[in-house]
Amino acid sequence: MRIVVLGGGTAGTTVANRLARALRPEIRRGTVEVTVVTDRDRHWYQPGYLFVVFNERPLEDFVRPERALLLPDVGMVVDEITRIDLERKQLISPQRHYPYDVLVIATGSYPDFQSVPGLAEVTYDFYTPEGAERLRDRLTTWTGGRIMIVQDVPHKCPAAPVEVTLMLDDYFRRRRLRDRVEIVYTYPIGRVHAAEPIADWAKQQFDARGIRYETFFNMEAVDPKRQVVLTMDGSEHPFDLLISIPAHKGAGVILNSGIGDESGFIPTDRHTLKMIGQDDVYVLGDATNLPISKAGSTAHYQAEVLVKNLVDRVRGLPETHLYNGKVACFLENSLGDASFITFDYDRPPRPAATSQLLHWFKGMYNDLYWLTARGLM
């Protein structure tokens, strides 16, 4: 059986390593192959970008060679897949075709800075490695003015815009510049976060620290020359520094293959993680259209279920394991303390009391993550 994992990020790498460990006897006998097909040979730990922004860690701490993370029993191909042919069960690139018996799609999601006219010309961001370093360098020389955090949905790591806002407040307080900086946080619906408990928690933090926030803030365009955000209600919002989190979309290969929705996210069964209408295609991580956070921990918990089912499938057993929507993540409250949230399909998120210990755990996990990617945690 040829099991092909498309994507070498958190979801794909974790699944491939867990499969290789669980199916070692079958792989050694030659009855099963596990192969990762990825368009890049480096693996980035994206939550680490926030720490790059505030010069807490260098960018090189959050990147590893993908081959070094994969077990020896996992094959790896670096190629740009342009289309998935579900009928013929193969991946297609300009160079060759890759057949599969079972396909795991873990192609992730990507910020679309072209989604709002003028945005890409003037924005700073922390969702890309180059963006994190560029924003770090800009903040280092910042002496005052209005910083606007603008965002659209969906986007990965939904708590990150709240985190960066609170960390900015602490960053400028530590540098004795907070009285010269106006921080304005925006959100496109009627509260400051989609999850009401997180919105209530964040609003209290914003009020206590003098952080302005605006809801029902929907970008229509950005005027780079005038440094103004134009919103759909016809108003204009000036800024000195713009930090954006645009809507994310699925990978180009999903859009090109016509197997996702208009944003490139794949219709996925919320419990089995199979692509709707396909028995031999599984989807996890940011690539799904599931109504849960696009976050690394989501992929982690999905991987546990998916691997159990795939192992049972290989061994002729029924696939009975179900994903319950579990997500867990840290929520930075400053540069020195953090909260923690867990939730699933049935239980809403409830931020834990903030503490220095949780911040320490978050920092520790920045290094332990590589064990997760190797399928050891």
Side-chain angles (χ1 to χ4, degrees), residues 34 43-44 140 153 155 182 193 308 363 374:
V34 178
H43 184 111
W44 295 91
T140 300
V153 291
H155 58 78
E182 181 184 14
H193 194 274
K308 288 176 182 178
R374 290 183 171 95

Side-chain angles (χ1 to χ4, degrees), residues 44-331:
W44 295 91
Y45 176 57
Q46 297 175 50
Y49 299 163
L50 264 180
F51 295 86
V52 174
V53 166
F54 297 102
N55 204 29
E56 297 289 307
R57 299 282 293 269
L59 186 60
E60 54 264 28
D61 282 1
F62 303 114
V63 61
R64 299 285 189 277
E66 174 67 10
R67 181 66 263 180
L69 295 177
L70 294 172
L71 293 175
D73 286 334
V74 178
M76 175 178 162
V77 173
V78 179
D79 198 355
E80 185 173 357
I81 302 303
T82 56
R83 191 164 64 87
I84 300 170
D85 188 333
L86 296 177
E87 184 177 347
R88 293 182 173 83
K89 300 181 68 168
Q90 59 186 4
L91 308 180
I92 300 171
S93 82
Q95 287 74 38
R96 56 175 293 189
H97 295 179
Y98 302 91
Y100 65 82
D101 297 304
V102 173
L103 176 63
V104 178
I105 300 178
T107 46
S109 64
Y110 304 89
D112 182 10
F113 293 102
Q114 303 298 327
S115 62
V116 176
L119 181 65
E121 299 176 41
V122 71
T123 190
Y124 288 78
D125 80 274
F126 57 94
Y127 272 69
T128 63
E130 60 275 8
E133 288 194 316
R134 182 168 171 261
L135 180 54
R136 176 200 62 198
D137 295 344
R138 185 68 185 95
L139 292 178
T140 300
T141 61
W142 187 259
T143 57
R146 176 187 254 203
I147 299 178
M148 289 195 70
I149 297 96
V150 296
Q151 55 191 307
D152 202 351
V153 291
H155 58 78
K156 68 176 72 178
C157 196
V162 172
E163 290 183 290
V164 77
T165 302
L166 297 173
M167 294 167 81
L168 279 168
D169 170 79
D170 191 28
Y171 177 80
F172 287 116
R173 289 183 190 278
R174 293 178 182 224
R175 294 181 58 198
R176 304 293 191 268
L177 291 171
R178 185 62 181 91
D179 59 341
R180 303 182 194 174
V181 179
E182 181 184 14
I183 301 174
V184 182
Y185 172 97
T186 72
Y187 204 69
I189 64 173
R191 53 179 181 257
V192 299
H193 194 274
E196 190 169 358
I198 296 177
D200 293 342
W201 179 88
K203 185 175 179 295
Q204 291 178 358
Q205 303 299 324
F206 293 166
D207 288 339
R209 304 183 200 190
I211 296 171
R212 282 189 52 198
Y213 50 88
E214 297 190 29
T215 57
F216 294 115
F217 190 100
N218 293 278
M219 293 181 287
E220 185 170 44
V222 176
D223 187 330
K225 292 183 179 179
R226 296 169 53 216
Q227 294 199 156
V228 167
V229 177
L230 295 86
T231 50
M232 293 181 182
D233 62 3
S235 58
E236 296 186 353
H237 306 265
F239 61 84
D240 297 299
L241 174 63
L242 186 67
I243 300 173
S244 72
I245 305 94
H248 282 54
K249 63 181 181 181
V253 62
I254 306 304
L255 291 163
N256 293 342
S257 303
I259 62 174
D261 60 23
E262 61 182 10
S263 296
F265 299 115
I266 302 172
T268 305
D269 186 282
R270 61 193 276 136
H271 295 299
T272 67
L273 302 176
K274 289 185 178 182
M275 179 180 174
I276 299 297
Q278 300 291 324
D279 184 58
D280 52 9
V281 179
Y282 301 78
V283 192
L284 78 165
D286 292 359
T288 77
N289 72 337
L290 298 179
I292 52 174
S293 297
K294 295 186 182 300
S297 70
T298 304
H300 174 89
Y301 293 120
Q302 289 174 339
E304 292 179 351
V305 171
L306 192 153
V307 168
K308 288 176 182 178
N309 282 333
L310 267 178
V311 170
D312 285 345
R313 180 183 186 127
V314 167
R315 294 175 178 169
L317 299 171
E319 300 176 47
T320 59
H321 304 282
L322 302 175
Y323 174 60
N324 67 353
K326 184 176 180 180
V327 181
C329 64
F330 292 94
L331 180 56

Side-chain angles (χ1 to χ4, degrees), residues 23-32 315:
L23 293 172
R24 183 169 293 159
E26 288 85 351
I27 293 173
R28 297 291 170 86
R29 288 198 302 268
T31 58
V32 172
R315 294 175 178 169

